[in-house]
Amino acid sequence: MSYKTIDPQDVKTAEVHALLLGAIAPRPIAFASTTDLEGNVNLSPFSFFNVFSAKPPILVFSPARRVRDNTSKHTLENVMATKEVVINIANYSIVEQMSLASTEYDRGINEFVKSGLTPEASVLIAPPRVKEAPVSFECKVNEVISLGPEGGAGNLVICEVLLMHVNEDILDENGKIDPFKLDGVARMGGDYYLRANGDCIFELPKPVKNRGIGIDMLPAHIRNSNILTGNNLARLGNSETIPTHAEVEAFKAEPIVAYTLNKYKSDPGMLKQELEKLGKKLLEDNQVNEAWKVLLMNQ
C-alpha cells in the first residue's frame, strides 16, 4: 500500500481545496437564506456545515473567500450586517434547484426566483425560509470568525437556532425524523453528491449502549481469521457476552449449520473456512448471537 504525502504549503490553494473536499465527504449542506439591510433576499448552499450543540442549539457553516479572486460571498456580507439566517435542509426532491441557486448571480438577484423555489415568511427573523425544504432553522448569528485573509479562507458563522420548522411528512410514528422519508443529500468532491436513501442507509448499534468486550478479547481463531473483516470483528467486539458451550452445541441442530457440518466433516480445513463464511454472512445480516455460535464451533 502506497501513500502520497502532500504539504499544503507546497501546492496551490485550488489543489488543497479539491483534496479536502474529495476526502472529507459526504458533507451536509446548509441551504442558507439571508437578506441584506435593504431587504434583498439571497439563497445559497454551503457544504462546510454541521451541528455543534443542542443546548443552546448551535449550527455552524462557513462561506469561504473565493479562491480565484479573494472576494467574499453575498451570504457572508448579509449575515455580518443583519445577524440573521435561515438554514434550510435540502433533500433529493430539490437538489437540482439547490444547485442552481449556487450560481454566482449579481448582488440583488433573488435566487428564489432563479431556482423556482418558494419563499415562506419566517416567524422571528427577516430572511424567508424555503417552503419546499423538509426542515428549516430560523437562526440568529452569534458570531462570525474569520479564519484568514486569503482566498480559500473560511468564515465560521455560528448560528443559534430560534425556531425549527419540520415537515410532518418526514416524521415516523414516534415523531422522529425518518431518514428514508427525509431523502437527504450530501456533498462529495467535484460534481458528485450523495443521496442518503436505500442501501446507503444502514443501522449500527452504538457502543454507548453497552460495554463490548473489544476485538482484543475475541478468541484467537476468530481474531486472526482471513475471512472476517475489521468491521466483522468490531461487531463481535461490541458484544458484552458470548454464547455458552451449551448454546453453541444446541445451535448445531440448525438446518444450515447441520448441513455444513455434515458436508465438510471429512475436511477440517474446508469446514473451518465454510463456518467462517457462514458466520460472516450472519454478522452482515445483523444476527450477531447466531454468528458467535457458528464461529465458536471452530475452537
Side-chain angles (χ1 to χ4, degrees):
M1 189 177 295
S2 177
Y3 286 87
K4 181 179 181 181
T5 301
I6 301 165
D7 185 336
Q9 305 303 320
D10 294 339
V11 297
K12 294 181 179 179
T13 302
E15 184 176 346
V16 175
H17 184 263
L19 288 168
L20 289 172
L21 271 60
I24 303 172
R27 299 183 306 282
I29 302 168
F31 198 16
S33 46
T34 59
T35 55
D36 63 18
L37 292 175
E38 287 72 46
N40 297 306
V41 175
N42 184 268
L43 179 64
S44 187
F46 298 91
S47 69
F48 291 180
F49 164 62
N50 222 306
V51 55
F52 288 86
S53 173
K55 192 171 182 66
I58 298 294
L59 310 179
V60 178
F61 74 102
S62 178
R65 300 186 67 83
R66 295 183 181 92
V67 174
R68 65 174 182 274
D69 59 9
N70 195 22
T71 56
S72 61
K73 298 179 180 180
H74 298 147
T75 298
L76 176 62
E77 296 167 0
N78 290 349
V79 296
M80 293 183 70
T82 68
K83 305 299 182 184
E84 295 181 337
V85 61
V86 178
I87 295 180
N88 305 280
I89 301 301
N91 63 3
Y92 189 73
S93 67
I94 61 170
V95 65
E96 297 217 30
Q97 290 172 282
M98 178 201 70
S99 178
L100 180 57
S102 69
T103 304
E104 293 187 0
Y105 294 111
D106 293 337
R107 172 168 285 283
I109 299 297
N110 187 333
E111 286 85 3
F112 274 95
V113 175
K114 289 293 186 182
S115 64
L117 292 166
T118 309
E120 183 83 359
S122 294
V123 178
L124 298 179
I125 62 176
R129 63 185 194 267
V130 176
K131 184 176 182 178
E132 293 83 357
V135 184
S136 296
F137 301 96
E138 294 187 30
C139 304
K140 67 174 182 178
V141 175
N142 288 348
E143 188 177 3
V144 179
I145 302 174
S146 171
L147 300 180
E150 300 181 41
N155 296 272
L156 303 185
V157 182
I158 302 174
C159 311
E160 182 173 345
V161 178
L162 304 177
L163 278 181
M164 299 183 286
H165 305 278
V166 182
N167 187 328
E168 291 185 284
D169 290 343
I170 68 169
L171 301 178
D172 63 18
E173 63 275 8
N174 299 313
K176 296 183 178 180
I177 292 176
D178 182 324
F180 295 95
K181 295 178 180 178
L182 176 65
D183 202 10
V185 293
R187 197 74 168 85
M188 307 291 284
D191 291 338
Y192 291 97
Y193 285 79
L194 171 73
R195 183 179 186 180
N197 214 320
D199 292 340
C200 290
I201 299 177
F202 61 94
E203 290 186 277
L204 186 63
K206 291 184 179 180
V208 294
K209 294 180 180 178
N210 59 277
R211 182 169 294 180
I213 62 173
I215 290 178
D216 62 315
M217 296 302 293
L218 300 180
H221 76 277
I222 295 177
R223 190 173 63 249
N224 298 322
S225 168
N226 293 321
I227 292 174
L228 300 175
T229 67
N231 280 339
N232 295 151
L233 297 179
R235 180 63 66 94
L236 293 168
N238 194 38
S239 304
E240 291 184 280
T241 59
I242 65 175
T244 65
H245 176 73
E247 290 173 324
V248 173
E249 288 300 307
F251 199 63
K252 290 181 179 179
E254 287 294 311
I256 184 64
V257 179
Y259 171 80
T260 303
L261 292 172
N262 183 62
K263 182 176 181 179
Y264 300 103
K265 61 184 178 182
S266 61
D267 188 341
M270 185 62 71
L271 176 60
K272 178 179 184 297
Q273 180 176 298
E274 291 301 315
L275 287 174
E276 287 188 5
K277 287 180 180 179
L278 178 56
K280 178 181 174 67
K281 176 67 166 58
L282 289 167
L283 282 171
E284 292 171 351
D285 289 341
N286 202 30
Q287 299 181 59
V288 180
N289 194 49
E290 291 79 1
W292 263 115
K293 295 173 186 177
V294 168
L295 294 169
L296 288 171
M297 292 176 191
N298 271 333
Q299 291 190 95

